[in-house]
Amino acid sequence: MLFQINNDIVIFFKDSKIILDLYKSHKQLAINKKFFKVLLYFSSPKDIEKLNTNELEDESINLVSVTKEFINKGVLVPVNFAKDDYSIDTFNKSIQYFYWANKEDKDENYQSTYNEFWELNKKRYLQPSIYKNYASSKTINLPFPTEFSSDLLKSITNRQSIRYTLHNNDISLQTLSNLLYYSNGEASYAFDMGMGEAIFKYIPTPGGRASSELYLVNFEVNSIPYGIFHYSVKSNSLELIKKGNFRKIMFNIAGNQEQVKTTSLMLISTSRIDRIAWKYQDAAGYRAIYLEAGALMQNLYLLASALELGIGVIGTFKDKEIDSYLNLDPDKEIVTALYTVGKRKNLTRFDRPTLEEYRKANDQNG
């Protein structure tokens, strides 16, 4: 009998353990890391009467007993179709929805046929990677993010563009880790048997495509070298792309905006449009890019507020020049925004009164 990984399962890491979240049955299981090999083994349907222990390359794992335990816990489930009966109905509802969403005529329901099943199955193997990594000469592993206390409402009311920040070189690696991880980091991972890998971030990422990437340009922070880095979502690390001080170049790219002269560093957000276009072939793809970019901007602003950093977004810049410095292929990845980041300086466009101050002023004027 054929078994495969349960479609309704989310896999994530917590406290150095692998957690299997069977969200429909409201159960979570913590497993030893070495048993993750068994899950990978069942990433394609396997006949449990013909298990091949040699494929695991780990003699310490009793594949038969682990498989039985996973079946008992609902981690592995029977494949719900026979070998000669392939149809789109064998995919879960999210895949059927995806297929419908890509119909030119949205009034047309999916057709559960052999040909359409294999069309979707073939598409799965053309999926662009959901992770981007550089073969960098230098990689800086960031500290594990800390769950710092923060008043959400205070962060929201204090959220604003702070265009001028103090020259400051003592922003810690821990602060950078918290800012990057909680804005665009990986919260959990899922393997969808219909469409392949998906990751879930601290921002809503349409279709699990995780299109947003972050780059960091360091001008004066001592904890890392000066240069241009890519933030690796997979390993929570900074990958060096180019070494040097690029302040004058970024000042020019950003249209000579004064805030670039004093900022300690810049963040650059991009969208991997190839990941989106792989799944959504119509206007939904455009919406997905900007929904995710907007959510990332709000996360960065709220985190900067909580971490007592000043942040200011720049939406107009020289695209072709910045593409060349980040080694971007514009057919696959586009820049969505630039951000200046530094220690807060009490110089903003306006001061926001508290609600209490606002009411008092209203009462006095009334």
Side-chain angles (χ1 to χ4, degrees):
M1 187 173 184
L2 294 174
F3 275 76
Q4 65 182 21
I5 301 174
N6 191 336
N7 283 330
D8 300 319
I9 191 170
V10 173
I11 303 170
F12 62 95
F13 296 90
K14 184 176 182 180
D15 299 331
S16 301
K17 296 178 182 177
I18 296 177
I19 309 297
L20 308 180
D21 186 356
L22 290 90
Y23 55 89
K24 284 192 176 180
S25 55
H26 305 288
K27 291 192 299 185
Q28 285 191 347
L29 307 173
I31 66 170
N32 189 305
K33 287 182 181 179
K34 72 176 184 178
F35 295 140
F36 190 66
K37 295 178 181 178
V38 179
L39 293 182
L40 294 177
Y41 176 73
F42 280 95
S43 58
S44 59
K46 294 290 189 299
D47 188 337
I48 61 169
E49 302 300 326
K50 302 175 182 178
L51 297 178
N52 186 354
T53 306
N54 294 330
E55 288 187 36
L56 294 182
E57 297 180 352
D58 189 339
E59 294 180 357
S60 67
I61 298 176
N62 186 322
L63 181 57
V64 174
S65 63
V66 175
T67 298
K68 287 181 179 178
E69 185 66 20
F70 277 167
I71 292 173
N72 290 336
K73 299 294 186 183
V75 175
L76 299 177
V77 294
V79 176
N80 60 349
F81 56 85
K83 289 185 178 180
D84 58 350
D85 184 29
Y86 293 103
S87 76
I88 197 173
D89 287 330
T90 61
F91 286 140
N92 61 26
K93 289 295 181 183
S94 65
I95 305 308
Q96 295 172 20
Y97 169 74
F98 157 72
Y99 182 81
W100 168 83
N102 282 279
K103 289 279 191 181
E104 290 184 12
D105 180 1
K106 292 294 188 294
D107 289 332
E108 180 185 358
N109 291 324
Y110 69 86
Q111 304 297 312
S112 183
T113 64
Y114 175 90
N115 288 337
E116 289 181 345
F117 172 90
W118 282 110
E119 182 182 338
L120 277 177
N121 206 41
K122 183 171 65 175
K123 184 183 181 70
R124 177 175 61 171
Y125 295 105
L126 299 175
Q127 179 189 46
S129 174
I130 53 177
Y131 297 109
K132 180 173 184 177
N133 291 99
Y134 283 80
S136 176
S137 59
K138 185 176 182 61
T139 298
I140 298 171
N141 293 320
L142 296 169
F144 195 82
T146 54
E147 296 185 1
F148 59 94
S149 60
S150 174
D151 184 328
L152 176 61
L153 186 57
K154 184 178 180 181
S155 295
I156 291 173
T157 55
N158 288 340
R159 185 218 61 77
Q160 57 182 298
S161 289
I162 298 177
R163 301 189 182 279
Y164 302 102
T165 53
L166 295 167
H167 277 292
N168 194 288
N169 57 17
D170 67 351
I171 297 176
S172 69
L173 271 181
Q174 187 65 68
T175 298
L176 288 178
S177 180
N178 289 345
L179 179 64
L180 295 168
Y181 178 74
Y182 289 117
S183 62
N184 198 47
E186 179 179 345
S188 61
Y189 170 95
F191 187 86
D192 190 308
M193 295 306 299
M195 297 304 286
E197 289 185 309
I199 59 175
F200 303 99
K201 295 185 174 183
Y202 290 98
I203 52 173
T205 169
R209 301 315 308 137
S211 71
S212 293
E213 296 283 344
L214 276 178
Y215 298 81
L216 184 150
V217 188
N218 181 33
F219 301 134
E220 60 187 32
V221 175
N222 285 339
S223 54
I224 56 175
Y226 295 169
I228 301 174
F229 297 83
H230 169 252
Y231 173 63
S232 170
V233 171
K234 189 171 186 177
S235 60
N236 188 45
S237 63
L238 291 173
E239 300 165 326
L240 181 63
I241 301 173
K242 289 182 172 68
K243 196 171 183 179
N245 196 320
F246 293 89
R247 191 188 294 274
K248 287 184 179 178
I249 291 170
M250 291 300 161
F251 179 67
N252 176 263
I253 285 175
N256 299 338
Q257 296 206 40
E258 291 295 315
Q259 68 198 81
V260 181
K261 286 185 175 181
T262 60
T263 188
S264 299
L265 57 92
M266 288 182 68
L267 295 178
I268 302 169
S269 63
T270 70
S271 175
R272 283 290 302 268
I273 55 178
D274 59 331
R275 295 177 192 159
I276 294 292
W278 172 81
K279 189 164 187 178
Y280 303 107
Q281 280 81 49
D282 55 13
Y286 290 102
R287 288 194 291 271
I289 289 169
Y290 296 118
L291 284 169
E292 190 165 334
L296 176 58
M297 179 186 295
Q298 185 74 310
N299 259 23
L300 285 168
Y301 265 71
L302 293 179
L303 284 162
S305 174
L307 294 167
E308 298 184 347
L309 296 171
I311 187 168
V313 66
I314 298 172
T316 303
F317 39 84
K318 298 178 180 178
D319 289 85
K320 288 185 179 179
E321 285 192 37
I322 204 164
D323 287 351
S324 66
Y325 281 99
L326 299 181
N327 299 331
L328 301 187
D329 178 351
D331 290 333
K332 294 182 178 180
E333 187 172 3
I334 59 172
V335 178
T336 51
L338 312 182
Y339 301 87
T340 54
V341 180
K343 288 289 187 179
R344 294 184 67 147
K345 184 178 182 181
N346 293 324
L347 177 63
T348 60
R349 287 185 174 183
F350 57 89
D351 289 320
R352 292 178 175 171
T354 65
L355 185 58
E356 186 178 355
E357 291 169 338
Y358 178 79
R359 284 174 173 166
K360 282 182 179 178
N362 248 12
D363 291 340
Q364 290 169 2
N365 295 331

